[in-house]
Amino acid sequence: MPIRVLSEQLASQIAAGEVVERPASVVKELVENALDAGATTINVDVRAGGRKLIQVADDGEGISAADVQTAFKRHATSKLQSIEDLNHIQTLGFRGEALAAISAVSQTTVVTRAAGEPAGTRLTLAGGELHTQETVGAPQGTVIAVENLFYNVPARLKFLKSITSERRLIDEFVTRYALAYPQVRFRLTHDGRIAFQSSGHNDLRDVLAAVYGPDTARDLLPLSSSPALVEEGMAEGTETAAAPLPPVASSSLPASGSLPASGRPHLVTVSGFAGPPGLHRSNRSQITLFVNGRWIKDSSLTYAVVQAYHTLLPVGRYPVAVIFISLPFDLVDVNVHPAKTEVRFRQAGAVFSAVQRAVRETIIAGAPVRGFTQMRPEGVFSWGGSVDRPSFARQPGMPAGHLHGQMNLEFPRSAPTTPFMPRAADDEHPPTATGNGDLGGERLPIMRVVGQVGTAYIVTEGPDGLFLIDQHAAHERILYEQFMDAWNQQQVPSQGLVAGAALYVTPAQASLLEEHLATLQRLGFAVELFGPNSFMVRAVPAILTHQDPARAVLAVVEEMEEDDGRAPLQTQIEARLIRRVCKTAAVKAGQPLAPAEMQAMIQQLEQCRNPHTCPHGRPTLIHISLSQLARGFERT
Ligand code: ADP
Ligand code: MG
């Protein structure tokens, strides 16, 4: 093919791909424009996760009638004039690409009236081409409606996630910006229903409560905002030598004349909120970073936050934090990618350590004990009675272990009169069967409990040597098989809560939870919508009777979040959620067990179809044979 210059339309469609990847990117660009225009109220209305409609209305300065058409041209901006301006960008936009990109891949309508102009303008565009322009009456400000996004780019359409996922990304974006701009009133609706709103009263605590729910908001600790001095010319990362530093993007700012003279000190200020160590999530998505009012993604700074919690969080858990970093505009390069969510710092190491120090100092000072106690479940796990084997019920005088209340190892049965069928005699599940799709394994021999080691492992003796059993993994396995059996028969026993427990979640979690209420019901939960982003937990699966009900539901919601978008079969989702419930209910490492409790657990494990692994695939036990022992002692 001969070389040809692409048509303007095709070129802008291609370029649009970098700016507008999905509905949430449209929301981002339009909200950023509204903020740049000095809006005090921003309303975002979304239909079908943004596929049908994204409308952003603001009361900002508006676009003058003479400029409206130009605003939709590529590289048309009022925010940048010369290359020098690029070194101290103070607006969120500056590339002049968003409106062109958005209108290239959608049907767009804008109604705007500039401050001081008598009338407004209404413009319609489709696929980047101007359709109509007329003068209309309109309040000051700008309304941009983006309909049928990607209608002319079917390839893009195919890559969109489910409506819920797109909604979640939009929620995430709007709520984050509401945090950074508490003086602006935000309102977000999905399909006509309010998903989120902030007051605009410039009270960050207020917005935190709207985003995270009142409980979490109360727990968040304000970062002490002592500004850190950064000496010009300071060696990169010197202050972070103690912490293993991941690769940090090096600065790409040109050492041009606009940079401050060497030796001038700069201020990096870190403010915001960090959760106490007791508040943690299954992924990093609740670590939010803003630089000079711009939401950014930065794996290095995210790592700095996580690192600040070093040894304070359980393994594989991540903190909740909202971090606002401000520093001189010329020390941060925002022109890294068209989407403008990445930045480069001229002194990345100094910013890294300023963030880490601010977070670490705050959590150490703010919640030394609280964090630790919050990590431990307060109640006792429940072990139900069984019919065919001596159920464990504490006899008077029996050593109480360190558990209070009644304990039993069995999965609670929905009909207490149903006789318990020992599975050893169950033809449907021969010893090597992989009944529920797990990797199969042989049944365990009969074992005698010897004792507990490290309040985490049970030592037993079998016909050929000894076994070390991970008490948490084993209990998870036991509960999982019992739960799956009950679930297969649609008979998951449920425990009603007398008072009900209130649960506050983020808007994104709320929509996910709402969508899965029926799923939860099949698992033995009864959860009702209670208010915006709040739910009432009325019942929990019986095995969770002694757990914090709201926290148990939250654990399940986190599991849903991880599943979201992968769209596996519903039954797979439910099996995953069941694994999570069993994990929550299972006895933890660190829990002292009385001999009878251990004996009951071992007997239950012997009954399992796949006793060798926990539902997540970790081993439940290690076998040391008599011959291994003999070899070890050099008897052979
Ligand atoms: P950029 O934001 O990078 O300048 P955009 O394509 O997003 O580029 O917008 C182009 C121009 O249109 C902006 O520079 C601004 O002058 C104007 N504009 C866009 N949205 C608004 C708005 N909501 N209110 C006022 N002016 C706007
Ligand atoms: Mg813009």
Side-chain angles (χ1 to χ4, degrees):
M1 277 205 296
I3 299 174
R4 268 177 289 146
V5 175
L6 295 178
S7 74
E8 177 63 20
Q9 198 188 6
L10 185 51
S12 52
Q13 275 187 11
I14 291 172
E18 285 185 294
V19 182
V20 185
E21 203 191 338
R22 53 179 1 106
S25 10
V26 174
V27 174
K28 172 182 183 297
E29 294 299 336
L30 297 182
V31 167
E32 288 187 349
N33 279 347
L35 290 168
D36 282 344
T40 60
T41 300
I42 300 178
N43 293 333
V44 182
D45 298 301
V46 176
R47 293 201 177 273
R51 291 168 180 228
K52 275 221 175 80
L53 171 76
I54 297 161
Q55 178 175 298
V56 176
D58 68 57
D59 59 355
E61 65 193 13
I63 310 174
S64 75
D67 284 348
V68 192
Q69 268 199 42
T70 317
F72 284 85
K73 298 221 164 80
R74 272 174 81 196
H75 312 302
T77 179
S78 57
K79 303 170 192 174
L80 185 80
Q81 282 183 345
S82 71
I83 188 69
E84 279 76 45
D85 293 347
L86 208 49
N87 289 332
H88 39 85
I89 290 294
Q90 305 194 13
T91 47
L92 296 167
F94 55 88
R95 298 175 54 106
E97 286 176 326
L99 292 187
I102 291 166
S103 64
V105 294
S106 70
Q107 292 156 342
T108 307
T109 307
V110 56
V111 176
T112 183
R113 182 168 70 82
E117 290 192 5
T121 313
R122 183 173 187 277
L123 212 68
T124 59
L125 303 97
E129 288 193 356
L130 180 67
H131 276 208
T132 63
Q133 173 162 8
E134 56 189 321
T135 302
V136 292
Q140 185 198 317
T142 305
V143 182
I144 297 189
V146 176
E147 288 172 281
N148 303 318
L149 184 65
F150 299 135
Y151 79 102
N152 54 352
V153 198
R156 258 301 145 96
L157 217 43
K158 268 191 244 152
F159 279 97
L160 290 188
K161 292 187 174 185
S162 68
I163 287 182
T164 352
S165 302
E166 298 297 344
R167 257 172 76 159
R168 191 148 62 85
L169 292 168
I170 293 171
D171 294 351
E172 216 171 78
F173 177 79
V174 174
T175 53
R176 295 302 180 273
Y177 261 85
L179 285 172
Y181 295 83
Q183 72 280 21
V184 176
R185 184 156 59 156
F186 283 88
R187 196 200 65 198
L188 168 66
T189 70
H190 284 293
D191 304 306
R193 270 182 46 191
I194 293 182
F196 171 80
Q197 54 187 335
S198 66
S199 69
H201 291 157
N202 205 8
D203 180 350
L204 189 51
R205 281 275 177 199
D206 243 30
V207 193
L208 285 169
V211 173
Y212 295 106
D215 290 345
T216 304
R218 218 181 1 258
D219 285 348
L220 292 174
L221 307 163
L223 296 184
S224 54
S225 52
S226 60
L229 272 190
V230 181
E231 291 294 333
E232 174 75 12
M234 194 187 82
E236 277 292 280
T238 40
E239 282 180 53
T240 57
L245 259 173
V248 171
S250 63
S251 167
S252 72
L253 268 184
S256 76
S258 66
L259 285 173
S262 185
R264 199 188 91 182
H266 302 289
L267 291 181
V268 177
T269 316
V270 179
S271 62
F273 287 84
L279 184 71
H280 43 75
R281 299 284 183 259
S282 61
N283 56 49
R284 297 174 183 81
S285 68
Q286 295 297 330
I287 301 171
T288 305
L289 300 165
F290 278 87
V291 172
N292 290 343
R294 178 190 305 280
W295 184 22
I296 59 147
K297 296 192 173 142
D298 188 308
S299 54
S300 167
L301 289 181
T302 303
Y303 180 79
V305 176
V306 175
Q307 188 63 24
Y309 286 81
H310 188 58
T311 73
L312 295 174
L313 293 183
V315 176
R317 304 290 293 178
Y318 300 93
V320 175
V322 187
I323 313 278
F324 303 110
I325 301 160
S326 38
L327 73 171
F329 288 101
D330 56 359
L331 289 190
V332 50
D333 181 4
V334 292
N335 187 27
V336 177
H337 184 271
K340 299 166 288 172
T341 49
E342 280 169 55
V343 295
R344 290 203 180 118
F345 296 103
R346 203 168 133 66
Q347 287 159 345
V351 177
F352 183 98
S353 60
V355 169
Q356 193 180 43
R357 194 168 349 100
V359 176
R360 183 83 184 171
E361 281 172 10
T362 303
I363 51 178
I364 296 288
V369 188
R370 194 147 131 247
F372 181 66
T373 50
Q374 276 186 2
M375 276 154 65
R376 317 191 122 249
E378 263 155 38
V380 192
F381 53 92
S382 155
W383 323 46
S386 95
V387 181
D388 68 324
R389 50 174 68 247
S391 74
F392 171 68
R394 186 164 287 125
Q395 312 292 323
M398 182 184 279
H402 291 256
L403 302 168
H404 345 275
Q406 190 225 344
M407 300 183 15
N408 38 61
L409 182 60
E410 284 279 280
F411 188 81
R413 244 150 272 285
S414 45
T417 48
T418 314
F420 178 59
M421 297 299 290
R423 288 204 198 84
D426 187 348
D427 286 341
E428 277 176 49
H429 303 294
T432 52
T434 57
N436 51 13
D438 291 302
L439 287 175
E442 283 169 35
R443 300 240 177 188
L444 297 181
I446 303 295
M447 296 180 284
R448 176 180 73 85
V449 171
V450 178
Q452 191 185 23
V453 175
T455 57
Y457 309 103
I458 300 169
V459 185
T460 67
E461 179 186 15
D464 177 27
L466 66 88
F467 293 86
L468 288 167
I469 293 155
D470 181 318
Q471 64 190 40
H472 173 66
H475 197 206
E476 258 188 291
R477 161 56 62 187
I478 293 162
L479 293 176
Y480 178 66
E481 291 200 5
Q482 292 172 345
F483 203 126
M484 286 304 278
D485 288 350
W487 177 72
N488 280 326
Q489 293 164 21
Q490 300 182 358
Q491 283 187 352
V492 177
S494 178
Q495 172 71 54
L497 304 174
V498 182
L503 168 71
Y504 298 97
V505 293
T506 65
Q509 290 173 326
S511 49
L512 203 56
L513 193 52
E514 238 187 291
E515 201 191 12
H516 285 101
L517 285 182
T519 308
L520 283 175
Q521 192 158 14
R522 280 193 293 279
L523 303 190
F525 289 97
V527 179
E528 305 163 356
L529 192 61
F530 190 57
N533 307 319
S534 61
F535 293 81
M536 189 54 81
V537 186
R538 298 281 181 204
V540 293
I543 58 166
L544 292 175
T545 301
H546 296 286
Q547 308 283 337
D548 177 331
R551 207 179 294 172
V553 175
L554 199 59
V556 173
V557 175
E558 285 183 359
E559 197 69 40
M560 290 171 178
E561 286 183 303
E562 279 174 27
D563 241 345
D564 199 36
R566 292 191 221 166
L569 298 173
Q570 178 67 13
T571 52
Q572 289 174 337
I573 299 178
E574 292 191 19
R576 248 184 91 146
L577 299 181
I578 289 170
R579 285 197 285 274
R580 184 62 176 252
V581 169
C582 293
K583 188 182 176 66
T584 309
V587 59
K588 307 291 185 294
Q591 182 90 65
L593 298 176
E597 293 167 343
M598 292 189 275
Q599 195 62 51
M601 189 188 288
I602 296 309
Q603 285 171 349
Q604 290 294 316
L605 189 63
E606 289 163 17
Q607 299 290 329
C608 286
R609 292 184 289 274
N610 299 289
H612 292 269
T613 55
C614 83
H616 301 93
R618 275 201 307 120
T620 50
L621 78 174
I622 295 170
H623 178 212
I624 302 172
S625 68
L626 287 174
S627 62
Q628 276 174 299
L629 285 174
R631 263 201 310 281
F633 288 107
E634 299 177 13
R635 281 174 163 273
T636 47

